[in-house]
Amino acid sequence: MLRKITLIVSVLALSALMLIACAAPTAPAPVVQTKVVEQTRVVEQTKVVEKVVEATKVVERVVTATPAPTAAPKSGGVLIAARAADMQGLDPHKQTAFASFRVLELIYDPLVTLDKDMKVVPHLAEAWKWSEDGKTLTMTLRKNVKFHNGDPMTSDDVKFSFERILDEKTGAAARANYALIEKIETPDANTVVFTLKTANGALPAAMTSLNSAILSKKAVSGGQDPAKTANGTGAFKIADWQPDKILKLDANKDYWIPGQPRLAGIEFRTIPDEASILAGLRAKTIDWALINDPRVGIRAGAGGSGLTVTRAPALAYHVLQLNASRPMFKDLKVRQAVSCAIDRQETLDVASLGEGEVTSPATPPFYRAALKDLLCYTKDVDKAKKLLADAGNPTVKFKIMAANAEPPTALAEAQNIQAQLKKIGIESEIESLELGVYVDRWLKGDFDATVALNGGNPDPDIMFFRYWHSTGNLNLVANYKDPEIDKLLEQGRVTADPAKRKEIYDNIQKKLADAVPWVWLYVGYEYRVMQPYVKGFVPLANGANTYLRETWLDK
Amino acid sequence: MQRFILQRLIALVPTLFGISIIVFLVMRLIPGDTISAMIGTQYKLTEVQAAALRAYYGLDKSLPEQYWIWLTNALQGNLGFSVRSGQPVLGEILNRFPLTLELALGAVIIGLLIGLPVGIISAIKRDSLIDLFGRLFSLVGLALPNFWLGTLIILGLSLYLGMLPNSGNYTEFTQNPLANLQQILFPAITLGLAFSASVMRATRSSLLEELFQDYARTARGKGLKEQTVITVHCLKNALIPVITLVGVEMGYLLGGAIVVEEVYALPGVGRLLLNGISQRDYAIVQGAVVFIAFNFVIINLLADLAYAFVNPRIRYD
């Protein structure tokens, strides 16, 4: 008898448990209530004023939720900031992980930076001038800049930093962007002259990166290892870093922009699970957070949470990379069929809950090509089938390589593409790999196809040259060469006039869309979620948090 | 006794040596190395750049040479430097160990506090309704995965009580004991619930067995109260398998409870190891695994010694 009761009770309890399991984690109904306060669309053309030519005039759309300031900014207070991953290291020239950028860009300053319209604007260099042949760039440095250890920043430090990047032994990430630099001279303490082998209009845009940060010559050549000690000129300095445990930044009181930073400090917390970050925001133990997963971001503003959510379309893009050197993708028609069979919006809807925008190969809005001009940006199954028939109806079978949770949407993208391609009879198999293994194979170009989230850049030269020029340092990964594209890329590099440049890059994008070495999918959003009393923060499309300098707490 | 301890400590040497070689080889056999993990997919280094970075981290030397350098340094107490933070590995491990130790102790204490009484009552009142619920509890406890239970606790606390056990601001015990205990409590409960289930099962079955032994019958025959028979005679013997369980569990937990540390954003040894693996931070992985193995052996030695304590018939001479 008792046995029977035991059995019945167990079964009941188990089913109750399963019910709880199904019901409990459901969040309140996902009513999206994004607080878009203003949506600016700035389209700006270059003003070529005499000889001063700014290399990049990029147009950007930034959705910002920062309301017009109602009160005067207050100084002081420590911002509690949270994100899922901690820094990977300290040496600014060697960092490639977004998590490292998001912190170190507050510690170090580049020569020039990007404003909220993704326009290159002065930073440590207060002005710059191109020679008429576009081969000499003369930069004038600010005078009142000091490193965190108190040493003044001079042209020697700039020369030293760029020579460190150019030295192959450093292993600097941005070296390829400066391959055209022939020599660097310092006529006086506040002037740096870069002489190039050939003109390179993308140079200032490259210089905006953390990977081109200015280090102290005196400290580093005196034995200070940037991998162990951070000594920048930035608005904040590192007070304490114990990986995954503590990251405290103190305001740099001698910062060269008067009145900045407004915060007395920032305490970064690492919380690996973004759902827990959201829980922390709701419990008001976190002031400001960076969210990457659209499934969490979309929930952040839901249900009258009272939180301010900002979304900015990222420059980084989701892409299905095909490997044109593999037998199944050698035939152009097969690649085109793949492109025509994929509804990019569907992939975006499924993998990122529609949080993003379908993108052309170039992601900075000014340089984006009109999607209607690109081959098969509207799904066309009949055309895909016809292309396959023209190719002789080959049996196409391939593997889609995806990294485990990097980005969080990778697997969903791969599955959606798999399902869409199946409809035209193309069979695929998904290979889900641990990130370290994935990176290794990606760099070797060892895959049939892969879903990836590749970094973007405000300048299309930096986005395209490394993959699509036959001498680009990631051309092996792209595995596609075209002499015409080579020629266009070289032209784009030396052209200064934005209208002409746009024409060149539109042309390149059309060729890329026709040749389908890759299927460009979409750009996602980056979310910053904050308490209503956090003021003055502006999200940038390149993901930078530099506006934390101007952020203040209204409480 | 001393000889036994000495023998076990000597046996520790080849164990650690073997483990260090295995970890060393496995880390280098899995695809992807420190340099590619560091650079990721944003850039590609030239051969010279990659070689320079390899030389910087000492990865250009042959495997036996690399191992030899590590071994000779390790014997002098230097476990190398973390690629990520540039800090000494031993410091990074010791920095995180207090939390891991606290979490392990907390989980074991909670496990025992729940598991022992429930197990004892279940055994005494065998097949009663209490026993039924006790066994059901242990079944559920064993079946619930930590990541789910942890997430559920966090959700419950944050949504309904507006509080969070931890928002990534781990406070050390020495800084603020109260805040520290608040942060440890829920992770320890998460870990402890599953453990209490195993404790309950082990206590119940082994006590049941002891209750029917001849000596128990003799004790009852002498006219002792049932309570005395259980607490003085049977329980002591019944605890041996529980001690084994505690030993093994402590050993595991001191290796870091990776899942619970991730869910609760606690910077323990487990997360150090996990991040070390994904970043191919060889020195961190190597150091952490050897450290964990060392703990495991020591804890098991302590468990063996505890047998002799609860059951004087066990001698190690």
mmCIF file with all atom_site columns, all heavy atoms in Angstrom, chain A residues 2 88 96 168 173 225 243-245 285 466, chain B residues 39 42-43 46 56 95-96 127 167 275 279:
data_model
loop_
_atom_site.group_PDB
_atom_site.id
_atom_site.type_symbol
_atom_site.label_atom_id
_atom_site.label_alt_id
_atom_site.label_comp_id
_atom_site.label_asym_id
_atom_site.label_entity_id
_atom_site.label_seq_id
_atom_site.pdbx_PDB_ins_code
_atom_site.Cartn_x
_atom_site.Cartn_y
_atom_site.Cartn_z
_atom_site.occupancy
_atom_site.B_iso_or_equiv
_atom_site.pdbx_formal_charge
_atom_site.auth_seq_id
_atom_site.auth_comp_id
_atom_site.auth_asym_id
_atom_site.auth_atom_id
_atom_site.pdbx_PDB_model_num
ATOM 1   N N   . LEU A 1 2   ? 1.807  1.221  0.998   1.00 0.00 ? 2   LEU A N   1
ATOM 2   C CA  . LEU A 1 2   ? 2.675  2.387  1.119   1.00 0.00 ? 2   LEU A CA  1
ATOM 3   C C   . LEU A 1 2   ? 3.468  2.599  -0.165  1.00 0.00 ? 2   LEU A C   1
ATOM 4   O O   . LEU A 1 2   ? 3.697  3.716  -0.611  1.00 0.00 ? 2   LEU A O   1
ATOM 5   C CB  . LEU A 1 2   ? 3.603  2.183  2.310   1.00 0.00 ? 2   LEU A CB  1
ATOM 6   C CG  . LEU A 1 2   ? 4.327  3.463  2.737   1.00 0.00 ? 2   LEU A CG  1
ATOM 7   C CD1 . LEU A 1 2   ? 3.319  4.480  3.232   1.00 0.00 ? 2   LEU A CD1 1
ATOM 8   C CD2 . LEU A 1 2   ? 5.351  3.168  3.801   1.00 0.00 ? 2   LEU A CD2 1
ATOM 9   N N   . GLN A 1 88  ? 40.750 41.230 -20.860 1.00 0.00 ? 88  GLN A N   1
ATOM 10  C CA  . GLN A 1 88  ? 41.613 40.089 -21.154 1.00 0.00 ? 88  GLN A CA  1
ATOM 11  C C   . GLN A 1 88  ? 43.079 40.428 -20.933 1.00 0.00 ? 88  GLN A C   1
ATOM 12  O O   . GLN A 1 88  ? 43.932 39.559 -21.012 1.00 0.00 ? 88  GLN A O   1
ATOM 13  C CB  . GLN A 1 88  ? 41.443 39.665 -22.609 1.00 0.00 ? 88  GLN A CB  1
ATOM 14  C CG  . GLN A 1 88  ? 40.017 39.442 -23.021 1.00 0.00 ? 88  GLN A CG  1
ATOM 15  C CD  . GLN A 1 88  ? 39.555 38.047 -22.715 1.00 0.00 ? 88  GLN A CD  1
ATOM 16  O OE1 . GLN A 1 88  ? 40.196 37.077 -23.081 1.00 0.00 ? 88  GLN A OE1 1
ATOM 17  N NE2 . GLN A 1 88  ? 38.457 37.929 -22.012 1.00 0.00 ? 88  GLN A NE2 1
ATOM 18  N N   . THR A 1 96  ? 42.394 42.705 -28.340 1.00 0.00 ? 96  THR A N   1
ATOM 19  C CA  . THR A 1 96  ? 41.439 42.596 -29.439 1.00 0.00 ? 96  THR A CA  1
ATOM 20  C C   . THR A 1 96  ? 40.044 42.302 -28.910 1.00 0.00 ? 96  THR A C   1
ATOM 21  O O   . THR A 1 96  ? 39.073 42.447 -29.630 1.00 0.00 ? 96  THR A O   1
ATOM 22  C CB  . THR A 1 96  ? 41.828 41.475 -30.411 1.00 0.00 ? 96  THR A CB  1
ATOM 23  O OG1 . THR A 1 96  ? 41.924 40.271 -29.676 1.00 0.00 ? 96  THR A OG1 1
ATOM 24  C CG2 . THR A 1 96  ? 43.143 41.762 -31.085 1.00 0.00 ? 96  THR A CG2 1
ATOM 25  N N   . GLU A 1 168 ? 57.504 44.613 -35.448 1.00 0.00 ? 168 GLU A N   1
ATOM 26  C CA  . GLU A 1 168 ? 56.855 43.306 -35.533 1.00 0.00 ? 168 GLU A CA  1
ATOM 27  C C   . GLU A 1 168 ? 56.964 42.533 -34.219 1.00 0.00 ? 168 GLU A C   1
ATOM 28  O O   . GLU A 1 168 ? 56.109 41.729 -33.889 1.00 0.00 ? 168 GLU A O   1
ATOM 29  C CB  . GLU A 1 168 ? 57.479 42.482 -36.652 1.00 0.00 ? 168 GLU A CB  1
ATOM 30  C CG  . GLU A 1 168 ? 56.926 42.835 -38.020 1.00 0.00 ? 168 GLU A CG  1
ATOM 31  C CD  . GLU A 1 168 ? 57.123 41.697 -38.998 1.00 0.00 ? 168 GLU A CD  1
ATOM 32  O OE1 . GLU A 1 168 ? 58.283 41.440 -39.360 1.00 0.00 ? 168 GLU A OE1 1
ATOM 33  O OE2 . GLU A 1 168 ? 56.128 41.075 -39.378 1.00 0.00 ? 168 GLU A OE2 1
ATOM 34  N N   . ALA A 1 173 ? 48.272 44.602 -32.522 1.00 0.00 ? 173 ALA A N   1
ATOM 35  C CA  . ALA A 1 173 ? 47.126 44.198 -33.329 1.00 0.00 ? 173 ALA A CA  1
ATOM 36  C C   . ALA A 1 173 ? 46.913 45.103 -34.534 1.00 0.00 ? 173 ALA A C   1
ATOM 37  O O   . ALA A 1 173 ? 46.435 44.672 -35.571 1.00 0.00 ? 173 ALA A O   1
ATOM 38  C CB  . ALA A 1 173 ? 45.880 44.184 -32.454 1.00 0.00 ? 173 ALA A CB  1
ATOM 39  N N   . ASP A 1 225 ? 56.240 47.448 -17.935 1.00 0.00 ? 225 ASP A N   1
ATOM 40  C CA  . ASP A 1 225 ? 55.589 46.596 -18.926 1.00 0.00 ? 225 ASP A CA  1
ATOM 41  C C   . ASP A 1 225 ? 54.104 46.964 -19.026 1.00 0.00 ? 225 ASP A C   1
ATOM 42  O O   . ASP A 1 225 ? 53.373 46.825 -18.051 1.00 0.00 ? 225 ASP A O   1
ATOM 43  C CB  . ASP A 1 225 ? 55.745 45.126 -18.509 1.00 0.00 ? 225 ASP A CB  1
ATOM 44  C CG  . ASP A 1 225 ? 55.235 44.167 -19.570 1.00 0.00 ? 225 ASP A CG  1
ATOM 45  O OD1 . ASP A 1 225 ? 54.542 44.624 -20.506 1.00 0.00 ? 225 ASP A OD1 1
ATOM 46  O OD2 . ASP A 1 225 ? 55.515 42.960 -19.456 1.00 0.00 ? 225 ASP A OD2 1
ATOM 47  N N   . PRO A 1 243 ? 41.433 40.228 -11.782 1.00 0.00 ? 243 PRO A N   1
ATOM 48  C CA  . PRO A 1 243 ? 40.530 39.718 -12.817 1.00 0.00 ? 243 PRO A CA  1
ATOM 49  C C   . PRO A 1 243 ? 39.287 39.036 -12.253 1.00 0.00 ? 243 PRO A C   1
ATOM 50  O O   . PRO A 1 243 ? 39.378 38.232 -11.327 1.00 0.00 ? 243 PRO A O   1
ATOM 51  C CB  . PRO A 1 243 ? 41.405 38.723 -13.575 1.00 0.00 ? 243 PRO A CB  1
ATOM 52  C CG  . PRO A 1 243 ? 42.779 39.247 -13.393 1.00 0.00 ? 243 PRO A CG  1
ATOM 53  C CD  . PRO A 1 243 ? 42.819 39.867 -12.034 1.00 0.00 ? 243 PRO A CD  1
ATOM 54  N N   . ASP A 1 244 ? 38.132 39.363 -12.810 1.00 0.00 ? 244 ASP A N   1
ATOM 55  C CA  . ASP A 1 244 ? 36.823 38.819 -12.452 1.00 0.00 ? 244 ASP A CA  1
ATOM 56  C C   . ASP A 1 244 ? 36.360 39.209 -11.062 1.00 0.00 ? 244 ASP A C   1
ATOM 57  O O   . ASP A 1 244 ? 35.277 38.861 -10.640 1.00 0.00 ? 244 ASP A O   1
ATOM 58  C CB  . ASP A 1 244 ? 36.799 37.278 -12.529 1.00 0.00 ? 244 ASP A CB  1
ATOM 59  C CG  . ASP A 1 244 ? 36.960 36.801 -13.948 1.00 0.00 ? 244 ASP A CG  1
ATOM 60  O OD1 . ASP A 1 244 ? 36.483 37.509 -14.839 1.00 0.00 ? 244 ASP A OD1 1
ATOM 61  O OD2 . ASP A 1 244 ? 37.567 35.744 -14.152 1.00 0.00 ? 244 ASP A OD2 1
ATOM 62  N N   . LYS A 1 245 ? 37.191 39.905 -10.309 1.00 0.00 ? 245 LYS A N   1
ATOM 63  C CA  . LYS A 1 245 ? 36.866 40.136 -8.917  1.00 0.00 ? 245 LYS A CA  1
ATOM 64  C C   . LYS A 1 245 ? 36.654 41.616 -8.673  1.00 0.00 ? 245 LYS A C   1
ATOM 65  O O   . LYS A 1 245 ? 35.563 42.036 -8.299  1.00 0.00 ? 245 LYS A O   1
ATOM 66  C CB  . LYS A 1 245 ? 38.021 39.601 -8.060  1.00 0.00 ? 245 LYS A CB  1
ATOM 67  C CG  . LYS A 1 245 ? 37.681 39.380 -6.624  1.00 0.00 ? 245 LYS A CG  1
ATOM 68  C CD  . LYS A 1 245 ? 38.817 38.629 -5.954  1.00 0.00 ? 245 LYS A CD  1
ATOM 69  C CE  . LYS A 1 245 ? 38.622 38.560 -4.472  1.00 0.00 ? 245 LYS A CE  1
ATOM 70  N NZ  . LYS A 1 245 ? 39.781 37.950 -3.820  1.00 0.00 ? 245 LYS A NZ  1
ATOM 71  N N   . THR A 1 285 ? 20.996 47.506 -7.653  1.00 0.00 ? 285 THR A N   1
ATOM 72  C CA  . THR A 1 285 ? 22.347 47.401 -7.110  1.00 0.00 ? 285 THR A CA  1
ATOM 73  C C   . THR A 1 285 ? 23.366 47.750 -8.179  1.00 0.00 ? 285 THR A C   1
ATOM 74  O O   . THR A 1 285 ? 24.560 47.805 -7.920  1.00 0.00 ? 285 THR A O   1
ATOM 75  C CB  . THR A 1 285 ? 22.633 45.994 -6.568  1.00 0.00 ? 285 THR A CB  1
ATOM 76  O OG1 . THR A 1 285 ? 22.292 45.053 -7.585  1.00 0.00 ? 285 THR A OG1 1
ATOM 77  C CG2 . THR A 1 285 ? 21.841 45.692 -5.327  1.00 0.00 ? 285 THR A CG2 1
ATOM 78  N N   . ARG A 1 466 ? 41.683 44.432 -45.396 1.00 0.00 ? 466 ARG A N   1
ATOM 79  C CA  . ARG A 1 466 ? 42.322 43.254 -44.790 1.00 0.00 ? 466 ARG A CA  1
ATOM 80  C C   . ARG A 1 466 ? 41.722 41.943 -45.287 1.00 0.00 ? 466 ARG A C   1
ATOM 81  O O   . ARG A 1 466 ? 42.393 40.933 -45.350 1.00 0.00 ? 466 ARG A O   1
ATOM 82  C CB  . ARG A 1 466 ? 42.253 43.329 -43.275 1.00 0.00 ? 466 ARG A CB  1
ATOM 83  C CG  . ARG A 1 466 ? 40.848 43.511 -42.741 1.00 0.00 ? 466 ARG A CG  1
ATOM 84  C CD  . ARG A 1 466 ? 40.891 43.729 -41.258 1.00 0.00 ? 466 ARG A CD  1
ATOM 85  N NE  . ARG A 1 466 ? 39.551 43.962 -40.737 1.00 0.00 ? 466 ARG A NE  1
ATOM 86  C CZ  . ARG A 1 466 ? 39.286 44.015 -39.453 1.00 0.00 ? 466 ARG A CZ  1
ATOM 87  N NH1 . ARG A 1 466 ? 40.249 43.861 -38.583 1.00 0.00 ? 466 ARG A NH1 1
ATOM 88  N NH2 . ARG A 1 466 ? 38.068 44.229 -39.039 1.00 0.00 ? 466 ARG A NH2 1
ATOM 89  N N   . ILE B 2 39  ? 44.518 37.078 -29.641 1.00 0.00 ? 39  ILE B N   1
ATOM 90  C CA  . ILE B 2 39  ? 44.255 38.000 -30.749 1.00 0.00 ? 39  ILE B CA  1
ATOM 91  C C   . ILE B 2 39  ? 42.825 37.831 -31.259 1.00 0.00 ? 39  ILE B C   1
ATOM 92  O O   . ILE B 2 39  ? 42.214 38.779 -31.731 1.00 0.00 ? 39  ILE B O   1
ATOM 93  C CB  . ILE B 2 39  ? 45.291 37.769 -31.878 1.00 0.00 ? 39  ILE B CB  1
ATOM 94  C CG1 . ILE B 2 39  ? 46.691 38.101 -31.361 1.00 0.00 ? 39  ILE B CG1 1
ATOM 95  C CG2 . ILE B 2 39  ? 44.981 38.622 -33.089 1.00 0.00 ? 39  ILE B CG2 1
ATOM 96  C CD1 . ILE B 2 39  ? 46.894 39.519 -30.877 1.00 0.00 ? 39  ILE B CD1 1
ATOM 97  N N   . GLN B 2 42  ? 39.946 39.332 -34.893 1.00 0.00 ? 42  GLN B N   1
ATOM 98  C CA  . GLN B 2 42  ? 39.932 40.689 -35.437 1.00 0.00 ? 42  GLN B CA  1
ATOM 99  C C   . GLN B 2 42  ? 41.138 40.994 -36.321 1.00 0.00 ? 42  GLN B C   1
ATOM 100 O O   . GLN B 2 42  ? 41.085 41.843 -37.185 1.00 0.00 ? 42  GLN B O   1
ATOM 101 C CB  . GLN B 2 42  ? 39.870 41.709 -34.297 1.00 0.00 ? 42  GLN B CB  1
ATOM 102 C CG  . GLN B 2 42  ? 38.647 41.561 -33.436 1.00 0.00 ? 42  GLN B CG  1
ATOM 103 C CD  . GLN B 2 42  ? 37.374 41.595 -34.252 1.00 0.00 ? 42  GLN B CD  1
ATOM 104 O OE1 . GLN B 2 42  ? 37.161 42.484 -35.060 1.00 0.00 ? 42  GLN B OE1 1
ATOM 105 N NE2 . GLN B 2 42  ? 36.525 40.592 -34.082 1.00 0.00 ? 42  GLN B NE2 1
ATOM 106 N N   . TYR B 2 43  ? 42.229 40.346 -36.051 1.00 0.00 ? 43  TYR B N   1
ATOM 107 C CA  . TYR B 2 43  ? 43.451 40.621 -36.795 1.00 0.00 ? 43  TYR B CA  1
ATOM 108 C C   . TYR B 2 43  ? 44.159 39.315 -37.063 1.00 0.00 ? 43  TYR B C   1
ATOM 109 O O   . TYR B 2 43  ? 43.857 38.304 -36.475 1.00 0.00 ? 43  TYR B O   1
ATOM 110 C CB  . TYR B 2 43  ? 44.400 41.502 -35.972 1.00 0.00 ? 43  TYR B CB  1
ATOM 111 C CG  . TYR B 2 43  ? 43.839 42.839 -35.632 1.00 0.00 ? 43  TYR B CG  1
ATOM 112 C CD1 . TYR B 2 43  ? 43.144 43.032 -34.451 1.00 0.00 ? 43  TYR B CD1 1
ATOM 113 C CD2 . TYR B 2 43  ? 43.985 43.906 -36.505 1.00 0.00 ? 43  TYR B CD2 1
ATOM 114 C CE1 . TYR B 2 43  ? 42.611 44.264 -34.137 1.00 0.00 ? 43  TYR B CE1 1
ATOM 115 C CE2 . TYR B 2 43  ? 43.459 45.144 -36.205 1.00 0.00 ? 43  TYR B CE2 1
ATOM 116 C CZ  . TYR B 2 43  ? 42.766 45.323 -35.016 1.00 0.00 ? 43  TYR B CZ  1
ATOM 117 O OH  . TYR B 2 43  ? 42.240 46.525 -34.703 1.00 0.00 ? 43  TYR B OH  1
ATOM 118 N N   . THR B 2 46  ? 51.493 38.698 -38.334 1.00 0.00 ? 46  THR B N   1
ATOM 119 C CA  . THR B 2 46  ? 52.469 38.127 -39.263 1.00 0.00 ? 46  THR B CA  1
ATOM 120 C C   . THR B 2 46  ? 53.242 37.047 -38.503 1.00 0.00 ? 46  THR B C   1
ATOM 121 O O   . THR B 2 46  ? 53.197 36.980 -37.273 1.00 0.00 ? 46  THR B O   1
ATOM 122 C CB  . THR B 2 46  ? 53.459 39.189 -39.751 1.00 0.00 ? 46  THR B CB  1
ATOM 123 O OG1 . THR B 2 46  ? 54.199 39.650 -38.619 1.00 0.00 ? 46  THR B OG1 1
ATOM 124 C CG2 . THR B 2 46  ? 52.744 40.358 -40.398 1.00 0.00 ? 46  THR B CG2 1
ATOM 125 N N   . TYR B 2 56  ? 57.937 35.920 -26.108 1.00 0.00 ? 56  TYR B N   1
ATOM 126 C CA  . TYR B 2 56  ? 57.641 36.725 -24.920 1.00 0.00 ? 56  TYR B CA  1
ATOM 127 C C   . TYR B 2 56  ? 57.045 35.838 -23.824 1.00 0.00 ? 56  TYR B C   1
ATOM 128 O O   . TYR B 2 56  ? 57.350 35.984 -22.654 1.00 0.00 ? 56  TYR B O   1
ATOM 129 C CB  . TYR B 2 56  ? 56.674 37.849 -25.299 1.00 0.00 ? 56  TYR B CB  1
ATOM 130 C CG  . TYR B 2 56  ? 56.270 38.765 -24.172 1.00 0.00 ? 56  TYR B CG  1
ATOM 131 C CD1 . TYR B 2 56  ? 57.045 39.871 -23.829 1.00 0.00 ? 56  TYR B CD1 1
ATOM 132 C CD2 . TYR B 2 56  ? 55.096 38.539 -23.455 1.00 0.00 ? 56  TYR B CD2 1
ATOM 133 C CE1 . TYR B 2 56  ? 56.665 40.722 -22.804 1.00 0.00 ? 56  TYR B CE1 1
ATOM 134 C CE2 . TYR B 2 56  ? 54.711 39.385 -22.427 1.00 0.00 ? 56  TYR B CE2 1
ATOM 135 C CZ  . TYR B 2 56  ? 55.498 40.476 -22.106 1.00 0.00 ? 56  TYR B CZ  1
ATOM 136 O OH  . TYR B 2 56  ? 55.116 41.312 -21.088 1.00 0.00 ? 56  TYR B OH  1
ATOM 137 N N   . ASN B 2 95  ? 44.483 34.293 -3.932  1.00 0.00 ? 95  ASN B N   1
ATOM 138 C CA  . ASN B 2 95  ? 43.538 35.397 -3.865  1.00 0.00 ? 95  ASN B CA  1
ATOM 139 C C   . ASN B 2 95  ? 42.093 34.892 -3.921  1.00 0.00 ? 95  ASN B C   1
ATOM 140 O O   . ASN B 2 95  ? 41.186 35.456 -3.314  1.00 0.00 ? 95  ASN B O   1
ATOM 141 C CB  . ASN B 2 95  ? 43.839 36.287 -5.068  1.00 0.00 ? 95  ASN B CB  1
ATOM 142 C CG  . ASN B 2 95  ? 43.089 37.582 -5.044  1.00 0.00 ? 95  ASN B CG  1
ATOM 143 O OD1 . ASN B 2 95  ? 42.089 37.705 -4.342  1.00 0.00 ? 95  ASN B OD1 1
ATOM 144 N ND2 . ASN B 2 95  ? 43.557 38.544 -5.798  1.00 0.00 ? 95  ASN B ND2 1
ATOM 145 N N   . ARG B 2 96  ? 41.874 33.831 -4.690  1.00 0.00 ? 96  ARG B N   1
ATOM 146 C CA  . ARG B 2 96  ? 40.517 33.321 -4.879  1.00 0.00 ? 96  ARG B CA  1
ATOM 147 C C   . ARG B 2 96  ? 40.190 32.166 -3.947  1.00 0.00 ? 96  ARG B C   1
ATOM 148 O O   . ARG B 2 96  ? 39.033 31.779 -3.815  1.00 0.00 ? 96  ARG B O   1
ATOM 149 C CB  . ARG B 2 96  ? 40.362 32.811 -6.314  1.00 0.00 ? 96  ARG B CB  1
ATOM 150 C CG  . ARG B 2 96  ? 40.235 33.937 -7.275  1.00 0.00 ? 96  ARG B CG  1
ATOM 151 C CD  . ARG B 2 96  ? 40.843 33.545 -8.594  1.00 0.00 ? 96  ARG B CD  1
ATOM 152 N NE  . ARG B 2 96  ? 40.831 34.679 -9.495  1.00 0.00 ? 96  ARG B NE  1
ATOM 153 C CZ  . ARG B 2 96  ? 39.849 34.919 -10.327 1.00 0.00 ? 96  ARG B CZ  1
ATOM 154 N NH1 . ARG B 2 96  ? 38.810 34.112 -10.359 1.00 0.00 ? 96  ARG B NH1 1
ATOM 155 N NH2 . ARG B 2 96  ? 39.879 35.938 -11.126 1.00 0.00 ? 96  ARG B NH2 1
ATOM 156 N N   . ASP B 2 127 ? 9.758  3.713  6.089   1.00 0.00 ? 127 ASP B N   1
ATOM 157 C CA  . ASP B 2 127 ? 8.497  3.484  5.386   1.00 0.00 ? 127 ASP B CA  1
ATOM 158 C C   . ASP B 2 127 ? 7.312  4.281  5.932   1.00 0.00 ? 127 ASP B C   1
ATOM 159 O O   . ASP B 2 127 ? 6.175  4.021  5.561   1.00 0.00 ? 127 ASP B O   1
ATOM 160 C CB  . ASP B 2 127 ? 8.134  1.991  5.360   1.00 0.00 ? 127 ASP B CB  1
ATOM 161 C CG  . ASP B 2 127 ? 9.063  1.254  4.422   1.00 0.00 ? 127 ASP B CG  1
ATOM 162 O OD1 . ASP B 2 127 ? 9.718  1.946  3.586   1.00 0.00 ? 127 ASP B OD1 1
ATOM 163 O OD2 . ASP B 2 127 ? 9.162  0.030  4.517   1.00 0.00 ? 127 ASP B OD2 1
ATOM 164 N N   . SER B 2 167 ? 25.837 41.143 -6.722  1.00 0.00 ? 167 SER B N   1
ATOM 165 C CA  . SER B 2 167 ? 25.836 41.829 -8.008  1.00 0.00 ? 167 SER B CA  1
ATOM 166 C C   . SER B 2 167 ? 27.258 42.005 -8.494  1.00 0.00 ? 167 SER B C   1
ATOM 167 O O   . SER B 2 167 ? 27.633 43.040 -9.005  1.00 0.00 ? 167 SER B O   1
ATOM 168 C CB  . SER B 2 167 ? 25.165 43.188 -7.889  1.00 0.00 ? 167 SER B CB  1
ATOM 169 O OG  . SER B 2 167 ? 23.836 43.015 -7.518  1.00 0.00 ? 167 SER B OG  1
ATOM 170 N N   . ASN B 2 275 ? 38.115 30.389 -17.128 1.00 0.00 ? 275 ASN B N   1
ATOM 171 C CA  . ASN B 2 275 ? 38.619 31.458 -17.996 1.00 0.00 ? 275 ASN B CA  1
ATOM 172 C C   . ASN B 2 275 ? 40.012 31.134 -18.500 1.00 0.00 ? 275 ASN B C   1
ATOM 173 O O   . ASN B 2 275 ? 40.351 31.444 -19.633 1.00 0.00 ? 275 ASN B O   1
ATOM 174 C CB  . ASN B 2 275 ? 38.651 32.793 -17.239 1.00 0.00 ? 275 ASN B CB  1
ATOM 175 C CG  . ASN B 2 275 ? 37.266 33.374 -17.091 1.00 0.00 ? 275 ASN B CG  1
ATOM 176 O OD1 . ASN B 2 275 ? 36.397 33.112 -17.913 1.00 0.00 ? 275 ASN B OD1 1
ATOM 177 N ND2 . ASN B 2 275 ? 37.039 34.135 -16.044 1.00 0.00 ? 275 ASN B ND2 1
ATOM 178 N N   . GLN B 2 279 ? 41.011 30.969 -22.423 1.00 0.00 ? 279 GLN B N   1
ATOM 179 C CA  . GLN B 2 279 ? 42.019 31.897 -22.939 1.00 0.00 ? 279 GLN B CA  1
ATOM 180 C C   . GLN B 2 279 ? 43.341 31.216 -23.200 1.00 0.00 ? 279 GLN B C   1
ATOM 181 O O   . GLN B 2 279 ? 44.309 31.888 -23.555 1.00 0.00 ? 279 GLN B O   1
ATOM 182 C CB  . GLN B 2 279 ? 42.247 33.023 -21.940 1.00 0.00 ? 279 GLN B CB  1
ATOM 183 C CG  . GLN B 2 279 ? 41.112 33.989 -21.908 1.00 0.00 ? 279 GLN B CG  1
ATOM 184 C CD  . GLN B 2 279 ? 41.461 35.136 -21.004 1.00 0.00 ? 279 GLN B CD  1
ATOM 185 O OE1 . GLN B 2 279 ? 41.679 34.971 -19.808 1.00 0.00 ? 279 GLN B OE1 1
ATOM 186 N NE2 . GLN B 2 279 ? 41.550 36.311 -21.566 1.00 0.00 ? 279 GLN B NE2 1
#
